[in-house]
């Protein structure tokens, strides 16, 4: 039984409901209550958002549009308008910051708020959450769900259980009773592969993990994952709200119009993306230590592989060499590729990185030569436009049908 004297905890997770679709419905109120899908309508398009009426048919984000329309043939498809979503996000985040300065955006449509310091002025956390939900809806027309808990993990879990357009408060005394009956996939970081691994050892619920000795978990999933799962399963999450905005990665992706098998075309695309990523890193004054490659095959199986460098880099050639090595190890010759993407992670300020001297004097020449060449390309591009100068391997005109959507993304 809930202790009525127990104060509500101070961490909120606010998650906008079907955000892109909800923003689109502001301009199309006639579509409210109908199955609406936002995304690309071409044969290669994917779902970026869907109303809950469409989700009832099994439609979800990242699903191929063709598959979504087979599940929900009467769905209304609307194109994406990122500029509208960014503007709505800025408006919503501004409302959050009027409640507390301790706001940690996780993405364009969700954020953590620490309201412990606001309770003396604004009331208990559940009251703050209810008023915030009402104000967001009144001032933006957009619904949101809020989880209130004592930790970030539990607050995010609560908001997910509150959807759509709801609120759930999990007080400290309720955490274990709420958490332990849930399946292991409810824990942060547990995907299908880890869940399968845990279930082989008879660990099917969060409670099973909580009562398993830490040493056994470490033997099962490794030290880092085992320690994290043990803590989360016992309601322990010491992460604080982080208010500083920080780039986590810089990357580019391309979805081919038709599945691509040519190793030459795929390597050219890797070179193009690596050059673009490196240019953006240098423009932002950043270097990265991990190069990641994303591949989506013709059956929509998607894999991500990465390599961590001994020294952070902002060189396109270095990124390309690593991406190519990953590609050759991960993809079978002639296997059709639907999407390919290069990303650099573990970013840091370039000014704070000291380059390791080469063991032999002539080892620095190639790297410095590439660095000078790429910076020259940056200067020319800034003056005359992107791609006015590029590697010779990219000068061949694209074949018919090679045009594809280029997605430059930052997270």
């Amino acid at each position: 039984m809930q202790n009525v004297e127990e104060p509500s905890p101070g961490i909120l997770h606010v998650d906008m409901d079907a955000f892109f679709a909800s923003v689109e419905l502001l301009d199309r109120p006639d579509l409210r209550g109908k199955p609406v899908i936002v995304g690309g309508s071409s044969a290669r398009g994917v779902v970026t958002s869907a109303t809950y009426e469409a989700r009832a048919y099994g439609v979800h984000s990242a699903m191929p549009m063709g598959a979504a329309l087979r599940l929900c043939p009467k769905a209304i498809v609307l194109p994406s308008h990122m500029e509208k979503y960014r503007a709505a996000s800025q408006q919503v985040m501004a409302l959050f910051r009027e409640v507390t300065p301790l706001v940690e955006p996780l993405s364009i449509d969700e954020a953590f708020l620490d309201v412990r310091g606001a309770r003396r002025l604004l009331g208990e956390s559940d009251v703050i959450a209810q008023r915030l939900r009402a104000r967001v809806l009144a001032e933006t027309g957009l619904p949101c769900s809020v989880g209130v808990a004592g930790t970030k993990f539990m607050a995010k879990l609560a908001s997910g259980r509150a959807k759509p357009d709801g609120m759930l408060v999990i007080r400290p005394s309720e955490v274990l009773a709420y958490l332990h009956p849930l399946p292991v996939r409810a824990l942060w970081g547990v995907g299908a592969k880890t869940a399968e691994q845990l279930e082989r050892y008879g660990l099917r619920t969060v409670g099973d993990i909580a009562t398993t000795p830490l040493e056994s978990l470490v033997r099962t999933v490794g030290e880092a994952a085992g320690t994290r799962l043990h803590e989360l399963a016992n309601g322990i999450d010491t992460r604080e709200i982080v208010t500083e905005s920080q780039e986590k990665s810089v990357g580019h992706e391309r979805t081919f119009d038709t599945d691509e098998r040519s190793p030459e075309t795929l390597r050219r695309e890797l070179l193009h993306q690596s050059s673009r990523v490196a240019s953006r890193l240098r423009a932002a004054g950043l270097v990265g230590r991990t190069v990641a490659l994303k591949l989506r095959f013709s059956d929509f199986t998607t894999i991500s592989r990465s390599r961590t460098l001994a020294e952070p880099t902002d060189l396109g050639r270095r990124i390309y060499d690593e991406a190519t090595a990953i590609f050759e190890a991960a993809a079978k010759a002639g296997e059709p590729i639907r999407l390919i993407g290069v990303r650099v992670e573990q970013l840091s300020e370039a000014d704070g990185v000291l380059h390791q001297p080469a063991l032999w004097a002539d080892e620095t020449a190639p790297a410095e030569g590439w660095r000078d060449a790429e910076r020259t390309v940056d200067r020319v591009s800034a003056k005359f436009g992107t791609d006015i100068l590029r590697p010779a391997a990219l000068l061949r005109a694209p074949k018919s049908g090679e045009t594809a959507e280029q997605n430059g993304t930052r997270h």
Side-chain angles (χ1 to χ4, degrees):
M1 184 174 179
Q2 179 179 312
N3 180 2
V4 295
E5 300 298 324
E6 186 178 11
S8 58
I11 304 298
L12 275 56
H13 179 259
V14 186
D15 198 355
M16 307 304 295
D17 294 326
F19 183 55
F20 291 2
S22 296
V23 173
E24 294 295 339
L25 293 184
L26 295 177
D27 295 330
R28 293 293 306 273
D30 57 303
L31 298 181
R32 293 189 186 279
K34 298 180 180 179
V36 175
I37 300 175
V38 177
S41 58
S42 70
R44 311 291 281 189
V46 297
V47 176
T48 58
S49 184
T51 60
Y52 285 91
E53 290 80 5
R55 295 183 188 193
Y57 289 85
V59 176
H60 58 80
S61 61
M63 172 182 284
M65 186 62 73
L69 291 175
R70 284 193 293 273
L71 290 172
C72 186
K74 295 183 179 180
I76 300 150
V77 179
L78 300 177
S80 300
H81 298 94
M82 281 306 301
E83 68 284 354
K84 293 199 299 188
Y85 312 147
R86 293 190 188 98
S89 176
Q90 291 171 0
Q91 187 180 4
V92 168
M93 295 295 172
L95 293 176
F96 295 169
R97 292 188 175 94
E98 290 187 20
V99 173
T100 173
L102 300 178
V103 176
E104 179 182 346
L106 296 183
S107 64
I108 195 171
D109 62 348
E110 61 175 321
F112 287 115
L113 286 71
D114 185 337
V115 299
R116 287 174 290 187
R119 289 185 293 196
R120 183 183 296 272
L121 180 63
L122 301 177
E124 286 297 317
S125 305
D126 52 351
V127 175
I128 294 173
Q130 285 284 29
R131 290 175 177 171
L132 181 59
R133 288 184 61 237
R135 188 178 178 195
V136 168
L137 183 61
E139 297 194 20
T140 70
L142 301 171
C144 65
S145 296
V146 182
V148 184
T151 65
K152 292 166 77 171
F153 168 62
M154 290 303 300
K156 185 170 174 63
L157 191 66
S159 70
R161 297 302 187 274
K163 283 184 169 293
D165 194 21
M167 185 183 85
L168 176 62
V169 179
I170 302 177
R171 301 174 192 275
S173 63
E174 303 167 337
V175 167
L176 297 185
Y178 184 86
L179 194 56
H180 284 182
L182 298 177
V184 293
R185 293 195 189 196
L187 291 177
W188 170 67
V190 176
K193 187 175 180 180
T194 303
E196 182 181 341
Q197 190 175 4
L198 291 168
E199 288 167 2
R200 281 203 303 268
Y201 287 88
L203 305 176
R204 293 181 171 80
T205 69
V206 175
D208 292 337
I209 293 178
T211 57
T212 298
L214 177 59
E215 314 83 69
S216 299
L217 281 176
V218 168
R219 286 196 299 270
T220 303
V221 294
E223 184 172 0
T227 300
R228 184 183 71 248
L229 294 180
H230 186 266
E231 290 179 347
L232 292 178
N234 285 283
I236 301 169
D237 179 11
T238 59
R239 294 175 298 161
E240 296 291 335
I241 300 295
V242 179
T243 58
E244 296 85 2
S245 177
Q246 182 179 351
E247 295 285 5
K248 295 181 181 178
S249 65
V250 174
H252 277 278
E253 293 180 358
R254 175 179 180 178
T255 300
F256 294 101
D257 282 348
T258 57
D259 295 340
E260 185 57 66
R261 298 173 181 269
S262 166
E264 177 192 357
T265 300
L266 292 167
R267 288 191 181 91
R268 281 166 43 81
E269 184 59 30
L270 288 177
L271 178 58
H272 175 73
Q273 292 186 16
S274 298
S275 300
R276 293 286 301 277
V277 168
S279 178
R280 289 173 58 194
L281 286 172
R282 292 191 295 270
L286 298 171
V287 291
R289 190 162 187 174
T290 296
V291 176
L293 177 71
K294 177 179 176 181
L295 294 173
R296 180 168 296 148
F297 301 100
S298 57
D299 62 355
F300 282 90
T301 300
T302 304
I303 64 171
S304 294
R305 300 288 186 269
S306 63
R307 287 190 176 194
T308 298
L309 309 177
E311 181 181 338
T313 189
D314 58 5
L315 287 180
R317 189 70 194 189
R318 185 78 180 92
I319 296 168
Y320 169 71
D321 288 342
E322 291 300 321
T324 302
I326 299 170
F327 173 74
E328 291 175 348
K332 299 176 184 176
E335 192 169 14
I337 303 294
R338 179 185 181 92
L339 175 149
I340 192 167
V342 174
R343 183 171 300 282
V344 173
E345 303 167 344
Q346 286 191 271
L347 305 185
S348 58
E349 298 291 335
D351 291 343
V353 175
L354 296 175
H355 293 286
Q356 177 73 26
L359 186 60
W360 308 108
D362 60 353
E363 278 186 21
T364 60
E368 290 306 318
W370 281 113
R371 184 169 284 108
D372 291 344
E374 292 188 18
R375 286 175 177 168
T376 298
V377 171
D378 290 343
R379 290 192 292 270
V380 174
S381 297
K383 187 172 183 179
F384 297 105
T386 305
D387 287 342
I388 194 72
L389 276 182
R390 45 188 173 159
L394 299 179
L395 292 179
R396 179 182 66 80
K399 296 181 293 185
S400 175
E402 277 192 352
T403 302
E405 180 182 355
Q406 294 283 352
N407 294 317
T409 56
R410 289 188 181 186
H411 296 284

